[in-house]
Amino acid sequence: MGALPQLSESRSSVQPSKDHGPVIEEIQGLIKVCKDGHVERLPAVVDVPCTWAPEPDVASKDVAVGHGGLWARLYVPRVQTQKLPLLVYFHGGGFCVGSAAWRCYHEFLARVASQAPCVVLSVNYRLAPEHRLPAAYEDGLATVRWVRQQMSHRAADEPGWWLAHCDFARVFLGGDSAGAAIAYNVAAQLGSFGVPESALLKPACLRGMVLIQPFFGGVARTSSEKNLVQSSRSALSLTSSDCYWRLALPPGADRDHPWCNPMAKGSPKLEDLRLPPALVCVSELDILRDRNMEFCKAMRRAGKSVEQATYAGVGHAFQVLHNYHMSHARTTEMLTHIRAFIYSR
């Protein structure tokens, strides 16, 4: 899978889009938003069917999650000697692009399922700007509710064929970039609810979060945001990051909104949340590097369990886009860290 087009420029342009007026927001090669609200997503990454098998030892199927159009792609190792942990995973894309069917995610998550090993449920949540936050967070929580409902289904046929392979005493939330932000916010919601909602995962047990380059923001720039110059290989620049947040947050909200910055003054205090242990994967050349590291420090100050893994010589989304010389080696390291984290809980 090759790298995406450069995602760096631009806030807006004045080129007309047929029948929809001028383009007012654009991330080159990925998304255009017109003045009348029309959204055009460009085919930057090919979709692949669930039947395509990059890992021969992993079976994959698409399933409906509830009745509102939400769906997910399941990855289940074919050969098992015991029940496996369940990883509920959310793809990246700045809340605005991406799909559980994108080839890069299909390849990566098939590897996770094979090498962890675990059952992976990759969620195809609603996208902004048509569905601004908290829509993606609501879809994440709805997925957890759906998993809870499915646990009573133990049939070997559809739709519950995968359930018999899961150890619901070991459930994990995970994702990369915006997907990591979704995983964190779902865990935070579960950790702030009263008794009825906090029992969503009972008798399932939420054992941890796998947060890969979590896409958080803030009004004040970090050093890596200001000083890390991004090459044409980069999947995220400061300009594209700002554009994603303008499209994803409620109109008028800034980047210190709680849905963007979990460390902002108006966000729920980390000390007050019942959060599971976290593995936070940080990329050395990512503009989000310092913000991710600040998040780890804030979690530790709040008494939360955090493992931080930093990957040298690579930037944002290297594990799915293979857009750096060291991508393959670092992805192998990441898979080793994910396995160790999951099986230590």
Side-chain angles (χ1 to χ4, degrees):
M1 177 65 207
L4 288 181
Q6 184 175 357
L7 312 186
S8 53
E9 315 310 329
S10 54
R11 169 169 181 161
S12 64
S13 63
V14 294
Q15 292 86 0
S17 180
K18 185 178 180 182
D19 301 327
H20 296 288
V23 175
I24 60 171
E25 294 279 10
E26 178 178 1
I27 299 176
Q28 187 177 1
L30 283 176
I31 188 171
K32 296 180 181 180
V33 181
C34 299
K35 187 174 182 179
D36 71 350
H38 173 75
V39 178
E40 180 182 358
R41 290 183 178 84
L42 305 175
V45 180
V46 65
D47 286 354
V48 294
C50 61
T51 52
W52 185 62
E55 299 291 329
D57 62 336
V58 175
S60 178
K61 291 189 179 182
D62 292 341
V63 294
V65 177
H67 303 287
L70 186 63
W71 65 274
R73 180 161 292 184
L74 277 160
Y75 300 85
V76 181
R78 296 180 188 275
V79 179
Q80 303 166 28
T81 58
Q82 60 185 356
K83 290 189 176 183
L84 299 175
L86 171 64
L87 173 62
V88 179
Y89 194 91
F90 304 93
H91 66 77
F95 302 102
C96 299
V97 298
S99 168
W102 269 13
R103 176 176 173 173
C104 56
Y105 282 105
H106 188 75
E107 290 178 330
F108 176 65
L109 293 175
R111 287 190 69 188
V112 172
S114 174
Q115 297 181 31
C118 61
V119 175
V120 179
L121 183 71
S122 176
V123 184
N124 202 69
Y125 54 88
R126 289 172 292 170
L127 299 177
E130 302 95 323
H131 306 282
R132 291 176 178 263
L133 293 175
Y137 300 154
E138 292 170 347
D139 286 353
L141 194 60
T143 301
V144 173
R145 290 194 178 100
W146 178 81
V147 168
R148 176 66 184 89
Q149 293 166 359
Q150 297 303 300
M151 285 169 52
S152 61
H153 195 303
R154 289 292 185 269
D157 57 351
E158 301 287 359
W161 63 277
W162 59 282
L163 294 167
H165 303 298
C166 293
D167 177 1
F168 288 104
R170 291 183 292 166
V171 177
F172 295 81
L173 297 175
D176 63 289
S177 195
I182 296 171
Y184 168 78
N185 274 275
V186 171
Q189 290 182 72
L190 292 172
S192 62
F193 284 141
V195 173
E197 288 286 0
S198 65
L200 274 175
L201 285 174
K202 303 295 185 180
C205 182
L206 181 57
R207 290 293 184 92
M209 303 179 288
V210 179
L211 308 180
I212 302 172
Q213 305 137 359
F215 185 46
F216 298 137
V219 171
R221 303 295 197 193
T222 65
S223 177
S224 60
E225 288 171 340
K226 291 186 292 186
N227 300 318
L228 270 182
V229 177
Q230 299 298 290
S231 72
S232 60
R233 297 171 299 173
S234 174
L236 188 69
S237 70
L238 194 57
T239 304
S240 59
S241 173
D242 287 348
C243 184
Y244 281 135
W245 284 119
R246 285 194 300 272
L247 296 175
L249 287 169
D254 66 23
R255 293 186 310 277
D256 279 338
H257 192 287
W259 292 335
C260 175
N261 187 355
M263 296 170 286
K265 184 176 293 186
S267 298
K269 292 183 178 181
L270 294 175
E271 295 86 345
D272 297 336
L273 297 175
R274 292 174 301 204
L275 293 170
L279 168 65
V280 181
C281 299
V282 183
S283 295
E284 181 189 29
L285 304 182
D286 189 356
I287 63 166
L288 297 177
R289 180 195 65 200
D290 291 352
R291 196 170 296 281
N292 290 171
M293 294 172 69
E294 288 175 1
F295 171 73
C296 291
K297 291 177 182 177
M299 288 277 283
R300 292 189 186 103
R301 286 196 300 268
K304 310 304 178 185
S305 174
V306 179
E307 295 181 22
Q308 178 183 321
T310 301
Y311 302 93
V314 289
H316 197 75
F318 74 87
Q319 72 284 349
V320 289
L321 299 182
H322 313 310
N323 50 350
Y324 291 85
H325 174 67
M326 295 296 295
S327 288
H328 290 283
R330 298 294 179 253
T331 301
T332 299
E333 291 178 18
M334 178 181 287
L335 291 168
T336 299
H337 293 149
I338 291 173
R339 177 189 176 113
F341 177 78
I342 288 177
Y343 278 88
S344 67
R345 303 294 153 191

